[in-house]
């Protein structure tokens, strides 16, 4: 009962600390997502680049990240009847285009395993997964990563290699560590000051008795001393035995 408050303080501290260790990337804009530690990805610059494309067999896939545009194939076919889309597949053999998705249908998040960010685009039966690879020494490059069409599924995999795909340092500010330290001292301060005021007013405590859980805190130095003495004795006993 006496150390309940102490326990809650430490439990709160641990919970906060553990929460920050997940690494979801929270999408802030079509091409921006932010990690819990403040690092972020920003591929918005790709909106101004030329339409990306890659061909495999009869299939050509056109991709315009971050914004929808009117996509026209080399042979002059308009994708999705001229509607603005972000990703489009053209089959040279059938002369048909398929809208694979728009920006609204695009989610930016981390790959499973949290290794790199991806765009995941769901449109009707189609699922397109675009792995974003950071590469500072090249122009932006778009590649079909799985056979098209893949047997029995409508899930396509692509690679987007780009200098825009790199993780960006957060602007200087408070780090997670310093926020936790400030929080810790705030909680500890509230615990002692709040406790002292409460005990003073409710129980009319005076002197050391105003300290919340003062039994525990006044015994703590003794417990620490006992611990040190115990450890020290233990090791000495150990070396005696060896001699
Ligand atoms: C993201 O990049 C674009 C273009 O490079 C830039 O205009 C924009 O300010 C950036 N946004 C953030 C939040 O860094
Ligand atoms: C469609 O995209 C083109 C650029 O390709 C743009 O000029 C036009 O405003 C867009 N239309 C709509 C309805 O968003």
């Amino acid at each position: 009962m006496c150390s309940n408050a102490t326990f809650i303080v430490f439990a709160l501290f641990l919970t906060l600390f553990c929460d920050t260790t997940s690494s979801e990337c929270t999408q802030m804009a079509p091409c921006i997502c932010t990690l819990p530690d403040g690092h972020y990805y920003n591929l918005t610059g790709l909106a101004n680049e030329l339409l990306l494309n890659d061909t495999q067999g009869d299939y050509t896939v056109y991709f315009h990240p971050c914004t929808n545009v009117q996509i026209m194939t080399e042979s002059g076919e308009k994708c999705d009847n001229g509607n603005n889309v972000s990703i489009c597949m053209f089959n040279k053999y059938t002369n048909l285009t398929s809208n694979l998705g728009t920006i609204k249908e695009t989610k930016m998040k981390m790959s499973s395993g949290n290794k790199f960010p991806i765009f995941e685009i769901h449109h009707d039966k189609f699922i397109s997964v675009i792995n974003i690879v950071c590469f500072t020494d090249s122009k932006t490059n778009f590649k079909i990563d799985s056979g098209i069409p893949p047997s029995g599924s409508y899930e396509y995999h692509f690679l987007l290699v780009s200098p825009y795909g790199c993780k960006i340092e957060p602007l200087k500010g408070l780090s997670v560590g310093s926020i936790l330290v400030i929080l810790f001292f705030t909680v500890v301060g509230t615990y002692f000051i709040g406790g002292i005021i409460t005990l003073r007013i409710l129980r009319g405590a005076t002197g050391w008795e105003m300290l919340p859980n003062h039994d525990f805190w006044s015994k703590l130095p003794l417990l620490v001393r006992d611990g040190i003495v115990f450890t020290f004795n233990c090791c000495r006993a150990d070396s005696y035995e060896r001699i």
Side-chain angles (χ1 to χ4, degrees), residues 71-207:
I71 294 178
M72 201 178 289
T73 68
E74 273 166 41
S75 54
E77 303 291 325
K78 282 182 183 163
C79 187
D80 201 35
N81 300 317
N83 288 323
N84 286 1
V85 301
S86 173
I87 184 163
C88 181
M89 184 169 65
F90 175 63
N91 182 343
K92 194 171 69 181
Y93 185 71
T94 61
N95 221 27
L96 289 176
T97 63
S98 311
N99 173 7
L100 293 189
T102 60
I103 291 306
K104 230 172 140 182
E105 296 164 318
T106 304
K107 286 215 163 50
M108 188 179 179
K109 57 184 189 179
M110 293 308 280
S111 65
S112 54
N114 294 320
K115 294 217 170 54
F116 46 83
I118 62 170
F119 290 124
E120 195 176 286
I121 308 167
H122 290 247
H123 179 81
D124 296 341
K125 61 192 172 184
F126 300 111
I127 299 174
S128 307
V129 178
I130 301 168
N131 291 348
I132 300 167
V133 181
C134 161
F135 195 71
T136 48
D137 294 342
S138 81
K139 297 200 307 153
T140 299
N141 206 340
F142 177 70
K143 282 259 159 272
I144 296 170
D145 197 26
S146 59
I148 282 199
S151 48
S153 96
Y154 291 97
E155 184 168 328
Y156 305 129
H157 288 262
F158 306 98
L159 273 181
L160 180 66
V161 182
S162 172
Y164 290 107
C166 301
K167 191 150 66 168
I168 303 169
E169 291 271 335
L171 290 173
K172 280 273 172 282
L174 286 178
S175 71
V176 175
S178 32
I179 289 171
L180 282 178
V181 168
I182 291 170
L183 209 88
F184 177 74
F185 282 110
T186 310
V187 168
V188 169
T190 310
Y191 165 74
F192 279 113
I193 294 169
I196 285 171
I197 293 171
T198 311
L199 289 179
R200 171 90 195 139
I201 292 172
L202 290 188
R203 297 212 196 133
T206 51

Side-chain angles (χ1 to χ4, degrees), residues 14-87:
L14 280 178
T15 311
L16 287 167
F17 184 74
C18 291
D19 270 350
T20 62
T21 56
S22 79
S23 43
E24 284 295 306
C25 206
T26 313
Q27 190 167 8
M28 317 300 278
C31 276
I32 301 176
C33 77
T34 307
L35 295 166
D37 66 2
H39 284 79
Y40 64 104
Y41 295 92
N42 180 6
L43 287 88
T44 310
L46 289 176
N48 303 320
E49 300 245 320
L50 289 174
L51 185 63
L52 300 161
N53 70 75
D54 191 33
T55 300
Q56 197 174 92
D58 285 337
Y59 292 86
T60 302
V61 175
Y62 298 87
F63 179 44
H64 193 272
C66 312
T67 48
N68 298 321
V69 291
Q70 195 176 78
I71 294 178
M72 201 178 289
T73 68
E74 273 166 41
S75 54
E77 303 291 325
K78 282 182 183 163
C79 187
D80 201 35
N81 300 317
N83 288 323
N84 286 1
V85 301
S86 173
I87 184 163

